[in-house]
Amino acid sequence: MQELVLVQPGQSIEGTRARELERSGAHAEFEARLAECGPLAFRIAQGVLRNAADAEDVAQEALLKAFRSFHRLRDPRRFRAWLVRITFRMALDRSRSAKRREQRETEWSMPQRRPLPPTAEDLAASSEFQARLERAVEELPEKLRLVLLLSALQGYALEEVSALLGIPTGTVKSRLFFARKQLAEKLR
Amino acid sequence: MNCHCTREQITDTLATGHAELTGELTGHVQSCAECRALYAQQAELFHAMDSGLSAMVNEPTPASLLPRVRGRMEETRTSNPWFYRFLPAAAVLVIACVIALPLVRRSLRSGGVQVTVIPKPSENGAEPRPPLAGGPEESMVSPATRALSPHLSARPPAARRPEQTIEVAVLVSSEESQGLLQLAAAVPRSPQWAQAMLHPVELPPSQMEPMKPIEIANLEVQPLSEEKQ
């Protein structure tokens, strides 16, 4: 049976095929990285947004964005660092827009803030501390915040964070030091 | 080592991620009950902080994430709308239009009077006299005024548009032609010259040069033929 190929005007069949092959190669390569980098994207988004549903949405969008531009990536070894930055930036945007929306809705309806249902004393103390910690992390400068979140990821040593962000280990150490110090001062 | 220094160093040590104190600091903390209590409190704070951060970022990834991403990837691959391919070209076109529009408008606005200088034939009549574009009134207006004022151009007003280049043919002597060309080229760059030249300057009588009366030899004055009758 004869194979029919749809070709755009002004393009040769060879050119179209080469592009298709290139794209399918990039697709396969991306697919191979997806299993490893998907959870990383989700965790970073979760660290910023602290809401699993929102974090999943952001991780999905970030992975799709990375997929669409994957064939343009010059150095595939920098893929994880690239994905980390995309995800962090998108999560920050989502967090800011959610805050603005919340502020708008509060201004319009002025709802009464309901306290959390009382549970065991330890749990209450723990959730209160967690809320303060989340607020304090939110107030950190972006650079410090990203290093702090990546360092808190399980299985990521300082050297790996340094490789992920493309900055020297010393810089990672100093950023982590200032982040932890500022956090402790806010929580004291 | 005093207590103030010790407190700062305790925070710094814990902020670097080391839970154990070293050297002189350990000695002071062991001997001072207040600093010991502070160290215990700070160590607890940092521990809680680390636990909280770890809980924040190490939640298990939802099982639905990767299948959703794969599904969307497949969608993207199969439904690639044709107009996406033209988006970059369209964006470039729009940007080019945005950049070009003010330039075009500026060039239309700056279109003024274009003067063509026709050298007047010399007295001995060597050069032929070219035809004038605007008829007999053309020569009655001074060249500078004509160059500056589009209202005095040779074309009829109905055929002229306000933001168009107007061509004017001016008859001047051959000695003046170069100077007039330079003036016509310089005037559009300095609108204040044009304004100054269109408005006559009233000089005080002291600065005005006295003029001699015209002397015409062999002038014979005769009454008009109608008056004769």
Side-chain angles (χ1 to χ4, degrees), chain B residues 92-117:
Chain B
V92 168
L93 195 67
V94 168
I95 291 167
C97 285
V98 166
I99 293 168
L101 194 64
L103 294 177
V104 170
R105 288 179 66 184
R106 197 188 301 166
S107 71
L108 279 176
R109 265 187 215 146
S110 65
V113 179
Q114 186 179 340
V115 176
T116 309
V117 175

Side-chain angles (χ1 to χ4, degrees), chain A residues 107-119:
Chain A
E107 279 169 7
W108 275 94
S109 60
M110 298 293 283
Q112 296 280 328
R113 276 187 171 255
R114 285 186 302 170
L116 288 170
T119 54

Side-chain angles (χ1 to χ4, degrees), chain A residues 22 24 28 57 115 142:
Chain A
E22 192 187 325
S24 62
D57 281 351
E142 280 177 26

